[in-house]
Amino acid sequence: MVELSLSELSKNPALLDTLEEIAEVKNRKTRSIKGYFIPARFEERFRELLEELDYESFKARNRSLGLEGSFDDATLSDGLD
């Protein structure tokens, strides 16, 4: 796994075009991990996981907006009609 800093990416975003492996994106000042870059060639392996994570984020946004529990039918608050 390659390690990239936020400053490297902000100065040279074309780095992402040349990456062939997974990269860990870090803030070198705070030493905190900000995210991961996964090349598109791995998409098939991660597609289902990404959809699950996206759905969980969607439900959390609805909860934070107070939409959960404001309907008689709980299926409406999770986006299912």
Side-chain angles (χ1 to χ4, degrees):
M1 183 177 330
V2 175
E3 188 177 300
L4 295 173
S5 70
L6 290 173
S7 59
E8 286 174 319
L9 286 174
S10 66
K11 291 176 186 173
N12 189 5
L15 284 173
L16 296 179
D17 292 334
T18 61
L19 279 177
E20 294 294 324
E21 57 186 295
I22 297 172
E24 186 175 66
V25 180
K26 284 187 169 184
N27 180 337
R28 289 211 174 130
K29 289 181 182 176
T30 62
R31 295 181 169 223
S32 61
I33 298 170
K34 295 300 181 181
Y36 294 91
F37 173 77
I38 302 170
R41 68 185 175 105
F42 295 117
E43 181 182 5
E44 277 185 33
R45 296 179 186 177
F46 289 100
R47 174 56 46 200
E48 188 175 327
L49 174 63
L50 292 173
E51 289 173 0
E52 288 178 27
L53 292 172
D54 188 42
Y55 180 65
E56 290 299 319
S57 296
F58 171 78
K59 290 192 315 187
R61 276 193 307 272
N62 281 351
R63 276 194 296 277
S64 70
L65 293 173
L67 297 177
E68 187 172 67
S70 63
F71 301 104
D72 293 332
D73 185 359
T75 59
L76 292 175
S77 65
D78 68 4
L80 301 175
D81 292 333

